[in-house]
């Protein structure tokens, strides 16, 4: 499947509908099958001990799955998370951005299922793995 939106169009869409994510995420790749999103790690993403917090990694997985779904169906702001499972496997490297690599496993009329691996930049070992399911709103008309 080929992406129906460009990374630039997606970024503009996100800024419009979710302005709170503007400074946190960068779309590195978005081709309709594989999506890579960078979390620009800042102090607000850290937990005591200086590592990236679980909620920040969850948000990265969630935003990445949303972007992966939108890449396939186009701008549908009301597409929502219906299920998530996340495994935190190792501590992210201190001071490194995180990269989420998503693969669309299934895209149907009403649901998308995406698998996401999260890595510290420069590392080949994932720090977390998530599986996200999104509900796609019905087409009107």
């Amino acid at each position: 499947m080929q992406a129906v939106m460009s990374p630039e169009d997606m970024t503009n869409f996100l800024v419009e509908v979710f302005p709170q994510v503007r400074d946190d995420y960068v779309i590195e790749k978005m081709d309709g099958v594989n999506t890579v999103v960078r979390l620009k790690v800042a102090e607000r993403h850290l937990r005591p001990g200086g590592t990236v917090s679980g909620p920040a990694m969850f948000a990265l997985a969630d935003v990445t799955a949303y972007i992966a779904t939108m890449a396939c169906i186009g701008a549908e702001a009301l597409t929502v998370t219906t299920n998530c499972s996340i495994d935190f496997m190792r501590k992210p490297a201190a001071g490194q951005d995180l990269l989420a690599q998503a693969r669309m496993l299934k895209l149907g009329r009403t649901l998308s299922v995406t698998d996401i691996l999260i890595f510290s930049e420069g590392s080949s070992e994932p720090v977390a793995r998530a599986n996200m399911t999104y509900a796609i709103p019905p087409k009107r008309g």
Side-chain angles (χ1 to χ4, degrees), residues 45-96:
H45 301 118
L46 304 181
R47 64 176 305 279
T51 189
V52 177
S53 70
M57 287 188 274
F58 173 89
L60 174 59
D62 196 33
V63 167
T64 302
Y66 187 80
I67 291 168
T69 301
M70 297 298 109
C72 296
I73 68 170
E76 290 284 348
L78 297 180
T79 299
V80 296
T81 310
T82 59
N83 189 56
C84 174
S85 173
I86 189 164
D87 298 305
F88 300 103
M89 299 184 288
R90 55 189 49 85
K91 182 178 175 180
Q96 297 293 318

Side-chain angles (χ1 to χ4, degrees), residues 21-72:
V21 304
R22 171 185 325 211
D23 298 323
D24 288 344
Y25 305 100
V26 176
I27 301 169
E28 303 270 325
K29 177 181 182 180
M30 187 182 85
D31 65 13
V33 176
N34 297 294
T35 302
V36 178
V37 176
R38 173 184 300 271
L39 170 62
K40 298 185 295 184
V41 174
E43 189 170 337
R44 69 182 170 279
H45 301 118
L46 304 181
R47 64 176 305 279
T51 189
V52 177
S53 70
M57 287 188 274
F58 173 89
L60 174 59
D62 196 33
V63 167
T64 302
Y66 187 80
I67 291 168
T69 301
M70 297 298 109
C72 296

Side-chain angles (χ1 to χ4, degrees), residues 2-36:
Q2 189 168 349
V4 297
M5 296 178 73
S6 71
E8 295 77 23
D9 289 341
M10 178 62 68
T11 299
N12 292 335
F13 172 72
L14 288 175
V15 167
E16 178 186 329
V17 297
F18 295 112
Q20 65 271 25
V21 304
R22 171 185 325 211
D23 298 323
D24 288 344
Y25 305 100
V26 176
I27 301 169
E28 303 270 325
K29 177 181 182 180
M30 187 182 85
D31 65 13
V33 176
N34 297 294
T35 302
V36 178

Side-chain angles (χ1 to χ4, degrees), residues 69-130:
T69 301
M70 297 298 109
C72 296
I73 68 170
E76 290 284 348
L78 297 180
T79 299
V80 296
T81 310
T82 59
N83 189 56
C84 174
S85 173
I86 189 164
D87 298 305
F88 300 103
M89 299 184 288
R90 55 189 49 85
K91 182 178 175 180
Q96 297 293 318
D97 285 352
L98 295 183
L99 295 168
Q101 299 177 354
R103 183 170 57 104
M104 182 66 63
L105 299 178
K106 180 187 185 310
L107 179 65
R109 286 183 305 112
T110 60
L111 294 175
S112 71
V113 179
T114 309
D115 190 63
I116 302 107
L117 290 174
I118 299 175
F119 298 87
S120 289
E121 186 172 33
S123 176
S124 62
E125 296 292 324
V127 298
R129 181 201 154 273

